[in-house]
């Protein structure tokens, strides 16, 4: 008998509801909060949770109408239980539990990162062994996938995630939040060879990442190319105005002086530095594990230049590449429903209604933790 799952995703600033029947997506509703958070330059947890409370009832009713189902026709309810913002996770998790109790149906708590990890297989019958590169907003992970629930983290960022680096560099050069699409847009007309930016840990023996040094390199490059005032300029301005605040304001306001090409070249150079590291670490993971299948998921996976570069590299290496569809890369409930469905098919136990959310929920043990056991 075919199962129907209703899933809710509220881990950050997107409110989402989806209904999945086996492999058929019956409904997928998403309410984005980008416009509300853009004015703050990033996600404000309290604003996010309040908006979840506002949007969720309408999304639930809209999804049921789109699927032409009544609440009693849902076989199980699922929700993201972590990682994410605690106040946001509570909204979706509590709603799904309440629906499960009211309908007397099972509840499944789903790891947000597992949703991303499995999303390249959306609509397929089987999850095949692969190396998964997850590049979402706050996470950059390389995971060896051996089956449903059988994951080993073989590489992770030691500081900033790739998505965070995009946001922070965008802010440095005066672009809007979220930074990824803004930088990508300008990089299309830029020369990625103009600025020699670091590829951190590219030659390290492990599979870990580091992007904070790249962000810092961009910060110190800006005065050299005249984009922001140098320390000397700031000091003079501060003395003339007699204010420490004026020095801070002058230092932080980029002034490209109408040089759009300079901005495009800087964005292209930064973007290429990130792409090079992600590509080379992924290929290295494939060689070390002797696997020939790579999957890509997460918001940074929407970057067209990155997708093209990875496709070309995998073609040259004879590696199968599975990339999540763009609408599945950003936060959504369809991937949460898909992950929950895979758990049901694998006869894994449902969740206890007393289980709590975990803002720092781990996807799996890393390879070093496993080897020490």
């Amino acid at each position: 008998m075919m199962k129907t799952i209703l899933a809710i995703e509220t881990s950050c600033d997107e409110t989402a509801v989806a209904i999945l029947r086996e492999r058929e997506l019956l409904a997928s509703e998403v309410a984005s909060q980008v416009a509300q958070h853009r004015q703050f330059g990033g996600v404000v947890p309290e604003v996010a949770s309040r908006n979840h409370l506002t949007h969720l009832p309408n999304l639930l009713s809209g999804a049921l109408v789109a699927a032409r189902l009544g609440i009693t026709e849902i076989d199980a309810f699922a929700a993201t239980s972590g990682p994410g913002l605690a106040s946001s996770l509570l909204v979706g998790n509590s709603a799904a539990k309440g629906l499960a109790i009211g309908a007397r149906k099972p509840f499944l708590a789903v790891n947000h990162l597992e949703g991303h990890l499995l999303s390249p297989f959306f609509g397929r019958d089987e999850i095949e062994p692969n190396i998964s590169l997850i590049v979402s907003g706050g996470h950059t992970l390389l995971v060896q996938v051996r089956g449903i629930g059988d994951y080993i983290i073989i590489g992770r960022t030691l500081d900033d995630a790739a998505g965070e680096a995009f946001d922070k560099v965008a802010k440095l050069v005066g672009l809007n939040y979220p930074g990824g699409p803004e930088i990508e847009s300008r990089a299309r007309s830029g020369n990625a060879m103009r600025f020699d930016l670091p590829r951190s840990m590219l030659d390290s023996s492990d599979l870990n990442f580091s992007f904070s040094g790249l962000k810092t390199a961009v910060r110190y490059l800006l005065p050299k190319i005249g984009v922001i005032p140098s320390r000397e300029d700031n000091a003079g301005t501060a003395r003339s105005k007699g204010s420490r605040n004026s020095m801070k304001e002058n230092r932080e306001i980029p002034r490209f002086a109408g040089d759009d090409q300079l901005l495009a070249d800087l964005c292209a150079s930064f973007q290429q530095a990130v792409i090079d590291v992600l590509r080379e670490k992924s290929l290295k993971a494939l060689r070390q594990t002797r696997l020939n299948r790579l999957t890509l998921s997460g918001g940074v996976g929407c970057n067209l230049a990155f997708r093209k570069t990875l496709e070309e590299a995998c073609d040259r290496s004879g590696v199968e590449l599975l990339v999540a569809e763009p609408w599945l890369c950003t936060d959504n409930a369809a991937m949460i429903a898909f992950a929950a469905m895979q758990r049901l098919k694998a006869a894994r136990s449902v969740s206890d209604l007393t289980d709590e959310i975990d803002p720092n929920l781990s996807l799996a043990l890393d390879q070093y933790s496993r080897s020490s056991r």
Side-chain angles (χ1 to χ4, degrees):
M1 182 178 176
M2 291 192 296
K3 297 287 186 182
T4 302
I5 292 178
L6 185 151
I8 300 174
E9 155 64 29
T10 59
S11 64
C12 191
D13 62 332
E14 266 96 14
T15 317
V17 176
I19 299 176
L20 183 70
R21 175 175 289 160
E22 296 296 328
R23 290 189 300 164
E24 182 184 3
L25 185 62
L26 302 181
S28 180
E29 306 286 330
V30 181
S32 175
Q33 300 180 29
V34 169
Q36 289 94 323
H37 296 280
R38 180 173 287 131
Q39 60 183 312
F40 304 109
V43 177
V44 179
E46 185 176 349
V47 174
S49 60
R50 287 180 178 177
N51 277 284
H52 288 316
L53 287 168
T54 300
H55 294 310
L56 189 54
N58 291 333
L59 294 181
L60 282 167
S61 60
L64 289 168
V65 169
R68 298 182 180 180
L69 293 175
I71 200 72
T72 57
E73 296 176 270
I74 303 298
D75 297 304
F77 296 87
T80 306
S81 61
L85 302 174
S87 55
S88 291
L89 289 167
L90 278 169
V91 176
N93 208 257
S94 300
K97 285 180 179 179
L99 290 169
I101 292 171
R104 297 184 179 181
K105 298 292 174 63
F107 167 73
L108 295 98
V110 178
N111 188 305
H112 179 78
L113 294 175
E114 185 175 27
H116 279 303
L117 178 142
L118 298 177
S119 62
F121 292 94
F122 192 90
R124 294 192 173 207
D125 288 322
E126 186 180 354
I127 307 300
E128 299 165 304
N130 66 89
I131 293 298
S132 172
L133 174 61
I134 305 174
V135 202
S136 62
H139 303 273
T140 301
L141 296 172
L142 277 169
V143 185
Q144 183 176 352
V145 179
R146 300 194 290 198
I148 296 297
D150 190 0
Y151 315 129
I152 306 173
I153 297 174
I154 57 177
R156 64 169 76 239
T157 183
L158 302 180
D159 39 60
D160 287 341
E164 291 174 321
F166 269 98
D167 286 339
K168 291 178 180 180
V169 168
K171 189 173 183 179
L172 282 174
V173 299
L175 298 178
N176 285 327
Y177 170 88
E182 295 281 333
I183 287 178
E184 181 186 9
S185 175
R186 285 155 181 81
R188 291 192 189 105
S189 59
N191 176 10
M193 303 296 292
R194 181 169 179 179
F195 299 108
D196 184 18
L197 296 173
R199 273 72 168 160
S200 300
M201 299 186 70
L202 191 61
D203 299 317
S204 65
S205 59
D206 57 35
L207 296 170
N208 291 326
F209 304 90
S210 172
F211 294 104
S212 65
L214 174 58
K215 172 202 66 184
T216 302
V218 173
R219 172 63 183 86
Y220 283 109
L221 174 65
L222 297 182
K224 297 177 182 178
I225 60 177
V227 171
I228 62 174
S230 66
R231 290 177 181 271
E232 291 74 17
D233 291 339
N234 282 328
T237 304
R239 282 192 296 269
S240 65
K241 293 188 177 182
S243 169
R244 294 180 63 185
N245 289 334
S246 63
M247 180 175 70
K248 180 179 179 182
E249 288 168 3
N250 282 324
R251 184 175 65 244
E252 293 182 349
I253 299 174
R255 55 182 192 195
F256 280 91
D259 192 343
D260 293 337
Q261 191 58 52
L262 178 64
L263 176 58
D265 292 347
L266 182 57
C267 288
S269 299
F270 165 77
Q271 177 178 271
Q272 192 60 51
V274 175
I275 288 174
D276 287 349
V277 173
L278 293 174
R279 181 194 64 238
E280 293 306 310
K281 288 284 186 174
S282 298
L283 294 175
K284 188 175 185 178
L286 290 164
R287 291 193 296 270
Q288 288 188 5
T289 57
R290 297 183 179 179
L291 290 170
N292 65 348
R293 184 177 296 106
L294 177 67
T295 63
L296 171 64
S297 60
V300 179
C302 289
N303 186 293
L304 294 178
F306 180 34
R307 292 165 82 103
K308 181 180 179 182
T309 298
L310 209 54
E311 286 171 4
E312 293 171 347
C314 287
D315 284 343
R316 289 193 299 269
S317 303
V319 171
E320 180 186 7
L321 175 65
L322 298 178
V323 183
E325 293 292 331
W327 66 274
L328 281 168
C329 286
T330 53
D331 289 352
N332 63 90
M335 68 179 188
I336 303 302
F338 183 68
M341 186 68 74
Q342 300 312 304
R343 283 179 49 185
L344 285 181
K345 287 182 177 180
R348 299 177 69 87
S349 61
V350 298
S351 304
D352 195 311
L353 288 169
T354 61
D355 289 348
E356 299 286 347
I357 60 160
D358 184 352
N360 300 307
L361 184 62
S362 177
L363 175 63
L365 291 174
D366 60 37
Q367 59 182 341
Y368 307 108
S369 300
R370 285 203 173 198
S371 62
S372 64
R373 285 187 140 192

